[in-house]
Amino acid sequence: MLPNSNLFVPRIWDFCKRSTIENPPRHVVFIFCTTEIHKVPETIISRCQKFDFRRVGLETLVQYLSEVAQNENININAPGIWAIVKSCGGFIRNCLVLLDQLSNLGVDEITPNWVWELSGVVPEHDLLTLTENLAKGEVTANLQILQDLIEYGKNPFVIYSSLTGFLKDLLVAKTTPDNRQITQLEEETWLELVTISQMWELTQIQASIALLMSRQQLMRDSEAAKLWLEATLIELSNIKQEKQPWTNWKTIQDAINWGKEQLPHLSQSELERHWNNLTPIKGKKAPAWVQLVQELQMKFQLQTA
């Protein structure tokens, strides 16, 4: 078995092709392992049987770690195991290593707080608070949370990545609040996120994710990462506080005309039908109309992609 075969230089592949792949010994099977199949030459792939292995499911991994913890007499609660799986991205070896490290802490019970502390992952309750503060425009509170996380040893790039992923989950919560299974969030966190999503407009979430993605390269600069993250949090608050489109509407026709600008593929009669069937949000049709138009935009984009 040859692991990390994507690191082989062309000379090694040429040697393998001549001496083993084209004329292998009858009693030997060569297994080339890689997670980057695109780096393996096509001349090699075409001469091998290719097997794609998928990542172990989260539920299966949680069950496996629970059995390991029980066999090794490690006292860890169920949320703690889930925290290990999520912080390690579902990789079995990383989960086992982290579980082993946690078992040496000498605590009575391993909880998610210990997992977050040791793994460097940003706790979900902090991400919920950051997201809610962004919705409320509380910049100072978010900057204080950022400062506290960094003082506790969290890497700025990890904070940035966690916030980006959490805003993606916020987008899912906003568009399909019944699809928790496509995220890795626990039910309690998901329900809170669905509630917070009502404070956001769809376009604001999309703009926030786009802003974070545009800062990816800048955030990799370890020396200035904290500065860029602080500046980005301030900009995200500005996105949330942008003027809503309905502030310029005086009649129903103004709202429908705005919808026509966003959805040019729909006819006037179709837009009027959508407006008439609209369910108000807190007694107001304008925010419900903006939300519906944004959802129709996303569906159209997915259909034409």
Side-chain angles (χ1 to χ4, degrees):
M1 182 177 291
L2 304 171
N4 298 322
S5 57
N6 53 282
L7 301 178
F8 290 177
V9 297
R11 185 179 299 176
I12 294 179
W13 280 123
D14 289 340
F15 174 78
C16 289
K17 184 172 65 174
R18 292 195 306 270
S19 60
T20 60
I21 297 178
E22 290 186 339
N23 298 296
R26 292 186 177 181
H27 59 286
V28 178
V29 175
F30 291 92
I31 302 176
F32 300 98
C33 304
T34 179
T35 56
E36 300 180 87
I37 188 64
H38 59 281
K39 293 185 179 180
V40 179
E42 286 294 334
T43 54
I44 301 298
I45 297 176
S46 63
R47 289 169 169 80
C48 298
Q49 294 184 18
K50 179 171 168 285
F51 298 92
D52 294 316
F53 295 93
R54 61 183 177 86
R55 189 175 299 178
V56 177
L58 297 183
E59 298 281 353
T60 303
L61 188 51
V62 167
Q63 183 179 356
Y64 172 69
L65 289 180
S66 299
E67 294 174 358
V68 171
Q70 184 176 3
N71 294 336
E72 298 297 330
N73 295 318
I74 301 173
N75 188 16
I76 179 171
N77 58 26
I81 292 179
W82 269 104
I84 290 177
V85 171
K86 289 186 288 186
S87 64
C88 294
F91 293 103
I92 297 178
R93 182 173 59 185
N94 294 353
C95 289
L96 291 173
V97 170
L98 182 55
L99 180 61
D100 182 48
Q101 292 174 339
L102 289 163
S103 68
N104 294 323
L105 290 176
V107 296
D108 294 334
E109 183 183 48
I110 300 171
T111 62
N113 286 332
W114 285 110
V115 178
W116 295 326
E117 182 75 20
L118 196 61
S119 65
V121 173
V122 181
E124 287 182 356
H125 59 79
D126 284 331
L127 292 171
L128 281 169
T129 305
L130 282 169
T131 307
E132 185 175 5
N133 287 344
L134 285 174
K136 295 178 179 178
E138 297 180 1
V139 179
T140 304
N142 271 352
L143 293 178
Q144 185 59 55
I145 293 174
L146 174 61
Q147 183 63 33
D148 292 342
L149 289 172
I150 292 175
E151 287 181 357
Y152 276 108
K154 308 298 183 186
N155 186 290
F157 187 77
V158 173
I159 300 172
Y160 156 81
S161 300
S162 300
L163 181 58
T164 304
F166 205 71
L167 284 179
K168 182 271 295 180
D169 293 334
L170 178 67
L171 184 62
V172 176
K174 181 69 176 178
T175 54
T176 53
D178 297 326
N179 274 348
R180 181 177 70 90
Q181 66 274 12
I182 67 176
T183 72
Q184 295 184 6
L185 300 179
E186 296 184 34
E187 185 173 0
E188 183 179 351
T189 303
W190 174 256
L191 293 175
E192 289 189 52
L193 190 62
V194 169
T195 301
I196 293 173
S197 71
Q198 302 305 312
M199 305 166 66
W200 288 75
E201 298 298 333
L202 193 60
T203 53
Q204 293 170 339
I205 302 175
Q206 293 169 329
S208 297
I209 295 174
L211 175 61
L212 285 167
M213 294 303 296
S214 69
R215 296 291 166 83
Q216 186 172 13
Q217 287 301 120
L218 296 172
M219 287 302 305
R220 293 186 184 278
D221 182 357
S222 58
E223 294 183 0
K226 179 177 179 294
L227 176 63
W228 279 115
L229 191 52
E230 289 174 337
T232 303
L233 284 176
I234 295 172
E235 288 189 60
L236 288 173
S237 297
N238 292 336
I239 287 176
K240 184 62 187 72
Q241 295 173 1
E242 285 181 354
K243 188 178 180 182
Q244 298 294 350
W246 61 75
T247 55
N248 296 323
W249 301 345
K250 296 181 180 179
T251 64
I252 294 176
Q253 190 60 47
D254 290 337
I256 295 176
N257 290 341
W258 176 83
K260 182 63 176 177
E261 293 176 1
Q262 310 302 314
L263 302 166
H265 61 285
L266 295 184
S267 65
Q268 184 78 10
S269 59
E270 288 176 311
L271 290 169
E272 290 175 355
R273 177 170 52 82
H274 281 302
W275 173 270
N276 293 330
N277 295 333
L278 203 60
T279 301
I281 297 178
K282 296 181 180 179
K284 297 182 178 180
K285 272 197 168 185
W289 178 244
V290 171
Q291 181 174 323
L292 175 62
V293 170
Q294 291 169 349
E295 291 175 355
L296 292 173
Q297 271 185 315
M298 180 166 287
K299 289 180 181 179
F300 179 73
Q301 291 171 357
L302 291 174
Q303 292 172 354
T304 56

